[in-house]
Amino acid sequence: DIRMTQSPASLSASLGETVNIECLASEDIYSDLAWYQQKPGKSPQLLIYNANSLQNGVPSRFSGSGSGTQYSLKINSLQSEDVATYFCQQYNNYPNTFGAGTKLELK
Amino acid sequence: EVQLHQSGAELVKPGVSVKISCKASGYSFTSYNMHWVKQRPGQAVEWIGVINPESGGTDYNGKFRGKVTLTVDKSSSTAFMQLGSLTPEDTAVYYCARGDYSGDYFDYWGQGVMVTVSS
């Protein structure tokens, strides 16, 4: 199985700040990488797919990048509604595997 | 509007089975794969498996093979996941999620079902 190592596990940032979350795959996943946002008690929501494609309806302050084994999610101009847990998913190979998540809080 | 509506929370005893449903609406049910995932607090989400609603074909995470059976009822646009021989380690929230047509990422999710296994 492909292992997804996500960092940091938690992050505290101020409103308006830019944050970055990383995912490292144990092998090349050819940009088959998605990012999700999950708020407490809610279902995950798709933010980014194919490493850098923004899902319809997702604010443009979210962006994804990367290739090969290294990927990142960037949130520009952090808003209060961005407080959530974020996690990555590789779908290049079955079984799909997920990062352990990054809990983003406001400073 | 695409919606995936899952059945309610379950409290079950060890050793029994439970069957969770996921009713799809707002799109052509047979045109998109349906995936199931497991989420436990503090742990990474785990992919359980996927079913093609048109053919009924399935793929399972080896970790869950023998534990889980995925089925669909096309007439009601409903997907099902049966979990057998439950243990406390099966206590989790289980989600159904629609696989996008272009890749196995999940563009719509059900609201989740909390399954608690306790004697």
Side-chain angles (χ1 to χ4, degrees), chain A residues 1 33-34 36 38 41-46 48-50 55 85 87 89-91 94-101, chain B residues 33 35 37 39 42-47 50 59-62 95 100 102-112:
Chain A
D1 299 0
L33 191 284
Y36 299 89
Q38 186 175 28
K42 301 294 186 182
S43 303
Q45 290 198 318
L46 177 66
I48 301 286
Y49 61 94
N50 295 346
Q55 174 67 353
T85 296
F87 57 89
Q89 174 215 0
Q90 72 78 21
Y91 47 92
Y94 284 163
N96 292 354
T97 48
F98 295 82
Chain B
N33 287 341
H35 296 256
V37 301
Q39 187 172 42
Q43 297 189 19
V45 172
E46 293 183 277
W47 181 78
V50 58
D59 246 305
Y60 293 101
N61 184 336
Y95 292 96
D100 188 86
S102 65
D104 282 326
Y105 51 90
F106 311 143
D107 56 0
Y108 290 93
W109 295 62
Q111 82 275 22

Side-chain angles (χ1 to χ4, degrees), chain A residues 64-75:
Chain A
S65 63
S67 62
T69 62
Q70 295 185 291
Y71 299 87
S72 62
L73 173 70
K74 183 178 180 181
I75 310 173

